[in-house]
Amino acid sequence: MLKSQTYNAPQHFESLFQILSSKRFLNKEGLGGELPFFIHSFPVAKQALVDTNIQSLIKRLQNEGIEILEIHLYQLCIDILKKENLFEQIVNQERNLPKQRLLRVLSGPLNIDSVVIPEIHNRLADSTAKIIFLTGIGAAFPIIRSHTILNNLQTLVGDLPLVMFFPGTYNNQSLTLFDRLKDDNYYRAHNLNDYKI
């Protein structure tokens, strides 16, 4: 677990820039036939700082000619609800509905298989990105769970490197959101905190 006081965002993001802009990373070398899925985990207390650094990282990479497609899961959910003219209705219901009931209400318009994944697919189809950034993981929980989205994206992104920015811990076997909620095991992603160029 990365302790909040030992997480140095500028240092981590400089390292991420070096990794993500390297030929080895972009050519997907040294993955042993595994998917080019990567996780950068960080302490949830550093979320605001990480968000700012993600935007700076995107600009730096794009200045190097490396196009990034950022998929912010929480914003994606809002976009879908607005497109279906459901957003205001859901916001009004949220005040009065118990959380479990609200989740059931959202499970239809934000169904992973029939709505969320096709929407991500559409965004990918319109993009010339070399890397996908998956952000907004904590904000989208529990509507979208990290292991569910990773499992569903395996066939969708093909051989495009995907980087998930994860508020919690990834120990190369399982994801622990907010360092409190253990998700299902997910073995197939590479830990960017341990990645060497």
Side-chain angles (χ1 to χ4, degrees):
M1 177 193 311
L2 276 171
K3 296 280 186 238
S4 196
Q5 58 271 25
T6 61
Y7 183 86
N8 181 324
Q11 193 177 318
H12 276 280
F13 275 83
E14 181 56 37
S15 172
L16 284 173
F17 174 74
Q18 297 302 326
I19 290 167
L20 302 184
S21 61
S22 72
K23 282 192 166 51
R24 182 173 191 261
F25 181 87
L26 292 168
N27 293 334
K28 299 169 286 298
E29 294 170 10
L31 298 181
E34 287 291 318
L35 287 167
F37 279 20
F38 301 86
I39 294 175
H40 172 70
S41 60
F42 58 90
V44 69
K46 300 290 186 176
Q47 181 74 63
L49 191 57
V50 166
D51 288 345
T52 303
N53 277 277
I54 288 170
Q55 296 314 309
S56 299
L57 178 61
I58 290 171
K59 285 188 183 103
R60 282 185 77 188
L61 289 166
Q62 290 180 332
N63 287 340
E64 296 292 317
I66 302 165
E67 193 65 33
I68 305 295
L69 173 63
E70 180 186 7
I71 296 171
H72 190 288
L73 292 179
Y74 184 70
Q75 189 59 53
L76 180 82
C77 292
I78 291 172
D79 293 347
I80 290 168
L81 292 173
K82 283 183 174 175
K83 193 161 70 173
E84 298 299 321
N85 294 318
L86 293 170
F87 183 69
E88 296 300 328
Q89 182 184 336
I90 297 289
V91 169
N92 292 331
Q93 286 182 352
E94 183 184 12
R95 296 182 190 106
N96 306 318
L97 287 179
K99 282 191 175 121
Q100 290 305 323
R101 174 95 175 93
L102 181 64
L103 276 175
R104 281 196 299 278
V105 167
L106 288 171
S107 68
L110 295 176
N111 180 279
I112 293 287
D113 296 323
S114 62
V115 181
V116 174
I117 294 300
E119 179 61 28
I120 292 174
H121 183 74
N122 291 340
R123 293 181 184 200
L124 275 170
D126 294 337
S127 170
T128 57
K130 291 193 171 87
I131 305 173
I132 302 163
F133 278 10
L134 211 50
T135 61
I137 308 300
F141 178 85
I143 299 163
I144 298 177
R145 294 176 180 263
S146 45
H147 79 279
T148 305
I149 204 79
L150 286 173
N151 284 328
N152 279 281
L153 286 177
Q154 285 175 186
T155 54
L156 190 63
V157 300
D159 64 349
L160 267 182
L162 179 139
V163 176
M164 176 187 274
F165 291 86
F166 185 78
T169 304
Y170 177 57
N171 65 5
N172 301 320
Q173 293 185 331
S174 60
L175 296 154
T176 307
L177 188 65
F178 311 133
D179 288 327
R180 292 183 177 170
L181 305 166
K182 195 166 187 307
D183 218 332
D184 282 5
N185 286 352
Y186 190 82
Y187 300 92
R188 302 197 65 183
H190 306 273
N191 193 333
L192 270 180
N193 298 353
D194 301 333
Y195 190 90
K196 301 285 181 270
I197 300 175

